[in-house]
Amino acid sequence: MATKTRITVNGTVHEREIEPRMLLAHFLRDTLNLTGTHIGCDTSQCGACTVHLDGRAVKSCTVLAASADGGTVTTIEGLRP
């Protein structure tokens, strides 16, 4: 059963129907095509998937996209000038 999620990513609001178990890393890469966020180790050890969620650094491979509902995410793409 899909759930409606609204997340601001790099200043743009995105509303999508997503699966409740979708990881934030997969939402960014597969749904929004923001491939700067990498899944490097599948064990949450390397930090290649790190993004800012509401101003805090988080490993997006350990955060459910649904838990970021209403939040603000900044990826590496959002840091470029």
Side-chain angles (χ1 to χ4, degrees), residues 5 7 9 14-16 18 22-34 65:
T5 302
I7 304 172
V9 180
H14 299 274
E15 289 189 30
R16 299 286 194 284
I18 62 168
M22 177 181 268
L23 294 172
L24 183 57
H26 293 292
F27 176 78
L28 296 170
R29 290 183 59 81
D30 302 337
T31 304
L32 302 184
N33 205 27
L34 295 172

Side-chain angles (χ1 to χ4, degrees), residues 18-62:
I18 62 168
E19 292 300 317
R21 292 192 218 169
M22 177 181 268
L23 294 172
L24 183 57
H26 293 292
F27 176 78
L28 296 170
R29 290 183 59 81
D30 302 337
T31 304
L32 302 184
N33 205 27
L34 295 172
T35 57
T37 301
H38 293 278
I39 299 172
C41 64
D42 289 327
T43 62
S44 77
Q45 297 295 316
C46 72
C49 65
T50 301
V51 298
H52 284 174
L53 173 59
D54 295 329
R56 295 182 52 219
V58 298
K59 294 178 183 175
S60 63
C61 71
T62 63

